[in-house]
Amino acid sequence: MSPTVVTFPAGSVVGDSIISSVHASEAGAVVIVDATPFHPVDHTWPDQPGDAGAIRLGGESVAVVEAVMAAVSDDGAFAVGADIPVKRGVEGWTWLVGHVLDAEAPAWLTPGAEVSLEVDAELRAGLSRGHTACHLASLALDLAVADLWRKDAGADALGNPDFEGRANQSSRIHEDGAVDGYRLGKSLRKAGFDTETFAATLGEREAAINAQLSAWVASGASSLVETDGPTIVDRRRWHCALPEGDAVIPCGGTHARSLAEFASISVTLELPDPQTLVMTTTAVGA
């Protein structure tokens, strides 16, 4: 078995393929195909949910509730999502995209069958806008707090101090938005970040982020996913041609094709406790 070929980086939401195998699971059957437009949720950093949609053959159709990562060992052991026992790239394992059904596989869904795959395009578009908005918000956040560093924090994709890389603890993307959590604890203070001034000027920082996001949306900059190859294991990067320069961030998700797809992107910043920042990003489609 070869790694699954994926077409979602280019924005595909439909495709034809051949079923490689069908596996039973507690959640429902997991269908493996040789090539797919479905984007799977990453089992190690599950920020963007997997695509949903359908598998069709003639007049028959079955719903795919979510696409997930799967892997099979050289000796035939099959695992899905968090149950995968090895890191990606380990020798002796092949990496795949699994299409999870909400029940057992129907009789017509068998290895060797030629099927059509169809992603829920509206869901995909919303998640893509949410992911692009999430990256833009993180870059705007880095810029808005750049003056609060007393030590070298490393550089983000635009050359600003990398608050995102230093402090981000969680990221969850949804349709037209995202929620990111950051730790503002002792380790960040030791790294040179002025958390007290940040807390005292939270409203100003939020306003600066939103002003920057408005400017970027107005630019209508191009946005795309670059790949090193056609399979699910090949590295991918988000590339956005912002006025300040090209932003390139390693990313396995899907994205809007242009910032012209947005009417607006905005954030709210909250400090539920002195050591935690929550940034909520909201996007509105054009």
Coordinates of all heavy atoms in Angstrom, one line a residue, residues 66 82 180 226:
E66 N -16.4 12.3 9.0 CA -15.1 13.0 9.1 C -14.0 12.2 8.5 O -13.9 11.0 8.6 CB -14.8 13.3 10.6 CG -13.6 14.2 10.8 CD -13.4 14.7 12.2 OE1 -13.7 13.9 13.1 OE2 -12.9 15.8 12.4
A82 N -5.8 9.0 17.2 CA -5.0 8.9 18.4 C -4.4 7.5 18.7 O -3.5 7.4 19.5 CB -5.8 9.5 19.6
D180 N -7.6 30.5 20.1 CA -6.2 30.1 20.4 C -6.0 30.4 21.9 O -6.4 31.5 22.4 CB -5.3 30.9 19.6 CG -5.2 30.3 18.1 OD1 -6.0 30.8 17.3 OD2 -4.4 29.5 17.9
E226 N 1.3 25.5 -0.5 CA 2.4 24.9 -1.3 C 2.7 23.5 -0.8 O 2.6 23.2 0.4 CB 3.7 25.7 -1.2 CG 3.5 27.2 -1.7 CD 4.7 28.0 -1.4 OE1 5.4 27.8 -0.3 OE2 4.9 29.0 -2.2

